[in-house]
Structure formats: C-alpha cells, structure tokens
Amino acid sequence: MKRINLLAAALCLLLTVGLLVGSLLPGQASAADGAAPEKTIVMGTSPDYPPYENVDAAGSGDYVGLDIDIARHIADRLGYKLEISALDFNGLIAALQSHRVDFVMSAMSATEERRKSVDFSDYYYFARNTIVSKKENGFASLDELKGKRIGVQLGSTQEAVASGMKDVEIKKLNKISDLIQEIKTNRIDAAIIEDAVAMGYTDANPDLNFTMLEADSSSDGYAIAFPKGSPLTAQFNEALKEMKADGTLQKLVDKWFPEDREAKSKEGGGGFRLNFAKMEKYIGYLLRGVYVTLLFTLVSALFGFIWGGILSLFKLSRFVVLRGFATVYTSIFRGTPLLLQLMMIYYAVPQLFGYNIPALLAAGLAFGLNSAAYLSETIRGGILAVDKGQREASLALGIPYKTMMISIILPQAVKNILPALVNECVALVKESSLVSVIGVADLMRRASVVQADSFLAFEPLLIAGAIYYVLVLVLTSLARLLERRLRRSD
Amino acid sequence: MTDKKNEPAIIVENLTKSYGKLEVLKGISTTVVKGEVVALIGPSGSGKSTFLRCLNMLEVPTSGKIVIDGTDLTDRRTDITRVRQRIGMVFQHFHLFPHMTVIDNLTFAPVKVKGMSKEEARAKGMLLLERVGLKDKADVYPARLSGGQKQRVAIARSLAMDPDIMLFDEPTSALDPEMVKEVLAVIRDLASTGMTMLIVTHEMKFAREAASTIYFLDGGRLLERSEPASFFAKPQTERAAKFLEQVL
C-alpha cells in the first residue's frame, strides 16, 4: 500500500510540475482552449522562411514576415483575433486536417496534390525561382545543371521543377539553411530556391550568388490553405480581393521585397568564412532557450529519477505482478526510439484523452518515462550493491520498509551510482534537442530559427554547441561538489 | 530484578528451518527466562546463528513456534516490526550506517521509529556512548573507527531502542585479538544489569564467565543446556566433550 501511495504522489508531482511548465509557455495550447470567448482564429505556419515568415530573433521574438502581415490585415478586416501556431512545414497539412489550426499561411504553393487534402484561397503571391551556387560556379540556366548535384527543399514547388529535369542528381532536404550549408561544403553544386529567400542567403554569404530563372506562368502561386469545406475560404477570398483592389497587398509586398532585387547579384570574396559579428544580436534570443532546455532537463530528470526509483523497487519486489510490469515497461521503453515515444505521446494523448497536451509537458513526460526505464536498472544495481547487512541492521532495529529505503538504502545506493546518474543528466541535456520536432523553443530549435533569420547556416550551430558545452560543464561541476559532499563519510 | 526471575522471556517450540532440502534446524525447543544470559556454542554449521536469527525473524522459520513476551512471532497477524523494536541485535560485521555519524547511528531509530525528540535521543545517545567509552567519537563517521570501536557503537545503537532482549551474533569474530577484550567488557557489563541476552560465540572463557546458561548445538539440534560450571567441567554428550577438547 505504501508503495502505491508513493507512486501516486510521484505522478501528482509530475502532473503539477508539468502543468506549471505548460502554463509558463504561452501559445502552445492555444488551439485547445476551445470555447473561445471572442472570435479567435489560429494560423499555422513554419516560421523559418524569411521574408515570408520567421521569428524576429534579434529583436522582439515575434513572428514577422509577408504572410504574417497579410494574415493580420485579413483578420482585422474580418474582425478576428489572430493567433499564430508555429509548426514544422511538413506537419501543416495534418494540423489543418485535425483542426489544430484554422488556416495555414506558410509560403505554401497551391499544388494539385495539396488540393486533394485541403481548400485553397486565391493566389496572393507568385515567386520566381533562382539557382543558388558558389560564386565561382555561377550557373546561368537550368540547362547548365546537367550532370550536377542539385538540392531542393522537400515538399516545395522547386522539388517539382527539379524532378522534371534530366541528368541531375537531386538531394532533398528539410530546410533551406541545410541546402546552403551543402553548397558551402561542396556536397551539392547548386540549389533551386525561390527569389526572396535566395536573396537573403546570398546577402549573408558573400561566397554565394544566384541567377534568376524565367517566371514560369504554369507554376502555382502561394495561397492560403483551409480545412476542406471551411467557411473561412470565401471570407478570406473576399478580403484578399479588397486588398488587391485598394493596393494594400502590393504595399505589403513592397515592404518585404525591395524594388532593386534583380540588381542584387553583387561582388564579394569567396572561401569559407565565419561571420560571428552578425550573431551578436541573436545571443539574447538563444540564451532564452537555455531556460527552456534546463527546465525541461530538470523536470524529466526529476521525474525519471523518482519513477525509475519506484520501478527499481518493483523489480526487487516479491510480488510477481510488479516485477513483471517493471520488466515489460523497461523492455518497451528501451526497445523503441525516444523520438517515436515523443511523437506518440504528443499526438496520441489528445486523441485518447481529449486533452491537448502542451508540447513541453509531452516532452517532459516522454523523456521522463524513457529515462526512468534506464535509471530503474541503474538504481536497481545500486541498491543490490548496498551491503545486505544494512538491510538486516535496519530490520533488527524495527525500522519500517519505507523509512529504511529512503533513509538507509537509497542514500548509499545513490552514492554508488552518482557517476551514472550524472551521465544520464548530461545525456538528457543534449537529447533535449529532440523536442524541437514538436515545436518547443529549446536551444536547438532557436538555433535553427536564427539560421533562418540570419541566413547563416553554420554560426548559430556553433554558438548553440558552445552553450550546450558550458551547460554540461556547469552540470558536471555541480555533480562533483555533490559527490564530494556524499563522500565526506569515507 | 529477582521477582522477574523464572518468568519466561522467550519460548521456542519445535523450531525447524530448511533451505530447500537442507535442514539447518531440526526441531529446537527451549525457554529463556528473563535476565538469563545464554551463550550458544557449537561447531560451525551447527545452526546456532540461524537459531539466533530466527528469534527476530531475520530468518523465517519453516515450522514451529516462537513466543516472546506473550506474542507469537510466527503468527501471520503479528506486526514483526514492532516486536523487533524490543529485540536488539548485534552482528559480526557491525553493519553501522556508514553515511551517518556515530551519534546519528544511535538516534536514527529512536527518532524515526519511536518518535522520540531529537534532543532527548541525542542526550540518551551520549549517555550510551559514555557507557561504551566512546563519548568523544559522537560526531565522527564510522569509517574513522577501529573494529572494536565500531562494535561498541553497534551495541550502543541497539541499546538506544531500550530493548528487552539482546541478540549477539558472533560479536567478536571479525575483530583483531587486541580489540576482543574491549567489546567483551561491554557485553559483560550489560549482562550484569539483568538484560536477557543470547550470544553466539567462540570465546569459551567469556562464555564460562559471563553466561548463566550454555547451549551446545550440533547438526541443527540443541544437544546440551546446562550451567557453565558443569558444562565445562563435565559435558553430558560425547559430541560436546569432543568439541571442548578441540577448542580448549
């Protein structure tokens, strides 16, 4: 009975901490708050595609860009309050279909393929494609790319262009910044990227340049996506028409795309150079990710330790059911990828329990549950390594089981396994970067936001790496202090 | 004290203990009266330690009955934790809590289990440490103590719970010879206070001087139970005679 109480207490603790964490992070659970008091519409977007949408990481941290501005104007005209939900580009259609968002604006081309799953508004912008390459290569047309290795963004219209070409080796990547990095390291010869984006990157990377391609009238323009049959589609089209008529749309386009864009192929030195001067203004934004990463590590380590401790007691219990449960649990959580567990919890919980679990809580839960599986084995080993006589001496003094475990056995076990516990914590700090797949703005996620915002592929990663290293260094120093304290009885 | 004499403290009826097919105790029956000091002797493997460990249920008997102060230990409904609080035990290897100072070793159980206040427990602990001659070691960790000192602390730790009965499981076997004396002196001192004690020991001289009764065990049976003087002068069984011949 006592053990079950302990378990319940631990779960309560976790839930409290988790909810607390969830409430600290605005915007994660917005779509689920249901029963909207005023008319709120939620826009889904992948804010890593300036100048259409990105995070103003150097300044306010708000979402900015052409799509954001257009959306705000339309929402204003229609009398809605706009909320923005940041998602991965590949998850946008799914978010529409599951009604997590009301509409999507993310420089999304209204392709035939997509029209099968969602409705689109009228086009609001047509982009032109460019070939981006190292300056010394300077491809003038698609024909010159024959026999070369070219890169495109997965799921983009450029992917369709590239797949229509012959004699080329195509590499598809998730992010534009990855494509840029591939060019700089000579893994691909060129990438097909749309004009506004190419401009930003070639500005920031003097060793690259781009060539405009002829406008392709047959290609699809960018449009706003809605769930099938949404009443919003007609309302948005009406608003777009008005904005086109009164020149608002053109004004917004001009704001984000300066006039002299074609003249922008410019001079500059080649070679591999790092540009950290440009990073300075992003440091604040990146450091705020440290808080998320640390909070997340703390929650999952604490939960993992408590739950792992309970599981290890199950494994040492004389009750077959508890032993069996703990063994099966460990084998499942150790036997499947952490990323998969994270996705399962994030996507399955809303469907099973109708609770739209905040991303950080889902991540803390997934990592805690996973970590507990490993720690339960470590702790079990630590407990078994404590001299059997300690247990007998406690029993002989009439000390109850729980008191014995908490005050006599575990302190000695923890002392023995401290190095392993520190390893687990360090691993958690670094594995925490996985949470960026579900949109938590941790350090790693912020690094890729800065990549997009600054058009620099390498520097944000180096800075994030340095911050991780310092975090781990601090953590290990703290652990050393703790160890010294525990060893004073030797 | 005298009025309590002959009142039974421990009644053991037909106690057996087996590990699988190996029968370690083959039916032991005896009664220990209050204030009695029993020395259990016998060759190794005779079952004397197992017998002792059954008395506070560190080993669960296979069959038979143990009644202490009217409470049947083998009854499933008995709260064994409460019974153990009245029975102190001292181990061959001390088993002090290494992560606690000496005084914390003494006060932990009284505070956590009996709900004694910390101040009271500490005052009592200091008195006990004085009694075993280790008052100045109160705030050091066990790792700093010699074997003899550790064992004296272990005895004080048991006494801190105010037990009615003390069990000693080869308390001097792990000690260097020069430390045996200091520990035996503490146990002898305790015996003179009228505490009911059972001591598994190989120290024949000590058994003869300090015990009121000698139990001789062999092969899982209690072969002899007599006063030290008569046992050492003229053992009744051939097995005991042979054993004494070897150890004396």
Side-chain angles (χ1 to χ4, degrees):
Chain A
M1 274 318 277
K2 275 172 187 159
R3 267 175 270 185
I4 290 171
N5 287 341
L6 205 67
L7 169 62
L11 286 178
C12 283
L13 177 76
L14 166 81
L15 213 62
T16 319
V17 172
L19 288 175
L20 200 70
V21 168
S23 61
L24 284 175
L25 285 153
Q28 299 291 353
S30 51
D33 290 347
E38 47 178 317
K39 287 194 294 178
T40 298
I41 47 172
V42 181
M43 162 174 163
T45 192
S46 171
D48 51 10
Y49 204 64
Y52 294 94
E53 48 266 321
N54 62 298
V55 178
D56 180 16
S60 61
D62 292 338
Y63 299 114
V64 294
L66 175 64
D67 286 348
I68 311 285
D69 278 356
I70 294 175
R72 284 196 198 288
H73 267 270
I74 295 178
D76 273 354
R77 272 172 203 253
L78 299 177
Y80 289 114
K81 190 166 170 285
L82 182 70
E83 269 186 22
I84 294 170
S85 175
L87 294 161
D88 197 79
F89 190 83
N90 295 322
L92 288 172
I93 298 285
L96 276 177
Q97 288 175 325
S98 60
H99 292 272
R100 268 200 164 197
V101 299
D102 297 309
F103 70 100
V104 160
M105 274 185 93
S106 202
M108 185 179 273
S109 311
T111 58
E112 277 313 309
E113 197 60 36
R114 290 194 181 119
R115 283 182 193 278
K116 287 176 192 159
S117 330
V118 294
D119 284 349
F120 277 102
S121 69
D122 299 333
Y123 300 127
Y124 62 87
Y125 189 74
F126 286 93
R128 283 171 66 186
N129 289 335
T130 71
I131 302 171
V132 175
S133 67
K134 281 202 164 172
K135 211 155 239 163
E136 59 264 31
N137 290 334
F139 302 103
S141 71
L142 287 179
D143 292 336
E144 287 184 22
L145 292 176
K146 281 222 163 74
K148 304 288 183 190
R149 300 161 299 170
I150 61 171
V152 289
Q153 189 179 20
L154 190 67
S156 65
T157 43
Q158 292 80 29
E159 182 187 343
V161 173
S163 52
M165 295 166 65
K166 284 176 187 130
D167 289 338
V168 290
E169 188 187 319
I170 301 174
K171 190 162 184 179
K172 299 168 186 178
L173 293 173
N174 257 325
K175 293 191 303 180
I176 301 288
S177 58
D178 294 342
L179 290 174
I180 298 297
Q181 198 56 35
E182 294 276 295
I183 298 173
K184 292 178 80 144
T185 51
N186 290 319
R187 291 212 189 86
I188 55 177
D189 299 305
I192 302 179
I193 297 173
E194 69 151 285
D195 50 0
V197 179
M199 219 165 63
Y201 278 103
T202 49
D203 265 358
N205 299 275
D207 51 332
L208 304 182
N209 71 355
F210 69 92
T211 311
M212 278 285 186
L213 295 174
E214 285 306 305
D216 180 1
S217 56
S218 70
S219 84
D220 305 298
Y222 293 151
I224 309 167
F226 303 90
K228 279 272 182 205
S230 167
L232 284 176
T233 317
Q235 294 178 29
F236 270 56
N237 274 336
E238 196 60 39
L240 269 179
K241 209 173 282 172
E242 284 171 31
M243 287 172 72
K244 279 175 191 164
D246 65 14
T248 322
L249 189 61
Q250 190 56 48
K251 231 185 277 171
L252 290 178
V253 170
D254 290 345
K255 172 184 165 194
W256 290 101
F257 300 102
E259 269 303 301
D260 57 345
R261 48 205 287 207
E262 295 236 31
K264 264 227 164 172
S265 292
K266 43 177 198 315
E267 305 299 309
F272 182 76
R273 281 187 298 146
L274 292 177
N275 184 359
F276 280 107
K278 221 181 151 188
M279 282 294 105
E280 200 186 322
K281 55 185 180 180
Y282 295 111
I283 295 292
Y285 178 76
L286 283 172
L287 284 179
R288 261 169 278 147
V290 172
Y291 168 73
V292 177
T293 295
L294 280 185
L295 183 69
F296 163 80
T297 305
L298 186 76
V299 169
S300 38
L302 206 65
F303 173 49
F305 181 69
I306 293 171
W307 179 224
I310 294 168
L311 282 174
S312 70
L313 294 183
F314 282 6
K315 286 178 183 171
L316 296 170
S317 153
R318 56 204 151 92
F319 299 109
V320 183
V321 180
L322 293 183
R323 279 205 309 268
F325 169 78
T327 308
V328 170
Y329 178 96
T330 305
S331 104
I332 289 175
F333 275 86
R334 284 201 305 196
T336 56
L338 179 52
L339 190 59
L340 182 145
Q341 292 161 20
L342 181 61
M343 303 291 234
M344 289 298 280
I345 289 173
Y346 186 56
Y347 291 114
V349 166
Q351 292 181 34
L352 290 178
F353 304 104
Y355 169 57
N356 196 344
I357 187 165
L360 199 71
L361 176 56
L365 200 60
F367 279 68
L369 290 172
N370 183 275
S371 184
Y374 288 89
L375 284 179
S376 69
E377 282 299 280
T378 310
I379 297 172
R380 186 175 70 94
I383 290 174
L384 288 177
V386 174
D387 182 11
K388 195 162 81 17
Q390 293 292 310
R391 191 173 160 273
E392 293 192 344
S394 305
L395 291 179
L397 282 167
I399 297 171
Y401 176 85
K402 200 170 96 182
T403 314
M404 169 178 82
M405 273 302 170
I406 292 175
S407 299
I408 307 290
I409 306 294
L410 278 179
Q412 298 185 50
V414 166
K415 186 172 136 187
N416 292 338
I417 60 174
L418 197 65
L421 291 181
V422 173
N423 268 349
E424 182 67 20
C425 272
V426 167
L428 271 176
V429 170
K430 290 181 294 174
E431 279 171 5
S432 67
S433 56
L434 276 182
V435 301
S436 61
V437 298
I438 56 172
V440 177
D442 76 319
L443 193 47
M444 199 60 198
R445 172 79 176 181
R446 279 166 195 259
S448 60
V449 163
V450 172
Q451 278 185 314
D453 200 54
S454 66
F455 301 104
L456 293 172
F458 205 57
E459 292 83 344
L461 288 183
L462 277 181
I463 291 178
I467 296 175
Y468 274 116
Y469 182 71
V470 171
L471 282 183
V472 170
L473 219 56
V474 170
L475 193 73
T476 40
S477 315
L478 288 177
R480 209 168 297 133
L481 280 180
L482 179 66
E483 184 159 356
R484 201 175 303 156
R485 204 182 130 74
L486 287 177
R487 294 230 171 273
R488 80 200 150 147
S489 61
D490 290 356
Chain B
M1 270 327 141
T2 40
D3 54 349
K4 283 209 289 186
K5 281 276 181 203
N6 301 325
E7 239 181 86
I10 305 171
I11 301 166
V12 179
E13 283 173 19
N14 208 17
L15 180 70
T16 73
K17 173 69 185 175
S18 305
Y19 298 102
K21 277 185 185 163
L22 180 68
E23 201 175 17
V24 183
L25 297 180
K26 297 174 179 165
I28 292 181
S29 300
T30 188
T31 300
V32 179
V33 298
K34 288 193 172 160
E36 190 173 358
V37 177
V38 178
L40 293 109
I41 62 176
S44 59
S46 59
K48 49 194 193 305
S49 276
T50 306
F51 174 69
L52 195 75
R53 290 162 59 85
C54 282
L55 297 182
N56 67 352
M57 300 291 276
L58 283 185
E59 301 288 347
V60 179
T62 306
S63 72
K65 211 167 150 184
I66 301 168
V67 180
I68 293 183
D69 263 350
T71 311
D72 181 2
L73 269 57
T74 50
D75 186 337
R76 280 180 168 277
R77 285 162 300 180
T78 301
D79 182 358
I80 193 65
T81 304
R82 290 196 74 81
V83 177
R84 281 173 180 151
Q85 289 164 19
R86 308 209 319 268
I87 307 174
M89 184 158 195
V90 173
F91 301 87
Q92 181 179 356
H93 294 287
F94 337 123
H95 301 328
L96 293 178
F97 304 134
H99 58 303
M100 297 181 188
T101 59
V102 164
I103 189 70
D104 287 345
N105 264 278
L106 265 64
T107 57
F108 181 80
V111 170
K112 291 278 176 174
V113 179
K114 280 187 155 181
M116 195 183 280
S117 78
K118 276 187 181 153
E119 296 72 32
E120 195 189 342
R122 189 177 167 93
K124 189 176 158 72
M126 292 308 289
L127 280 178
L128 285 167
L129 284 180
E130 194 172 3
R131 188 162 152 197
V132 299
L134 290 169
K135 203 179 168 190
D136 55 325
K137 300 289 185 189
D139 294 310
V140 305
Y141 284 96
R144 294 280 165 80
L145 302 179
S146 71
Q149 289 171 329
K150 281 182 191 169
Q151 195 59 298
R152 284 187 279 156
V153 171
I155 294 170
R157 177 175 69 177
S158 290
L159 293 176
M161 287 294 281
D162 276 326
D164 302 326
I165 297 167
M166 284 287 287
L167 308 175
F168 293 86
D169 190 3
E170 302 197 26
T172 59
S173 298
L175 298 177
D176 292 337
E178 70 268 26
M179 292 172 183
V180 171
K181 229 181 201 172
E182 62 188 58
V183 171
L184 290 182
V186 169
I187 299 174
R188 191 173 289 146
D189 174 54
L190 198 57
S192 67
T193 65
M195 170 83 72
T196 310
M197 309 205 300
L198 285 91
I199 308 163
V200 173
T201 186
H202 295 294
E203 302 287 335
M204 292 306 145
K205 186 165 170 280
F206 170 75
R208 190 199 314 229
E209 290 165 6
S212 48
T213 315
I214 302 287
Y215 285 10
F216 177 75
L217 281 82
D218 188 37
R221 292 182 205 283
L222 178 54
L223 292 187
E224 273 194 50
R225 186 174 55 183
S226 46
E227 298 203 343
S230 62
F231 176 78
F232 285 103
K234 191 176 182 302
Q236 289 151 21
T237 60
E238 202 178 314
R239 189 68 197 85
K242 206 168 176 191
F243 173 74
L244 284 179
E245 206 171 282
Q246 279 164 349
V247 297
L248 288 179

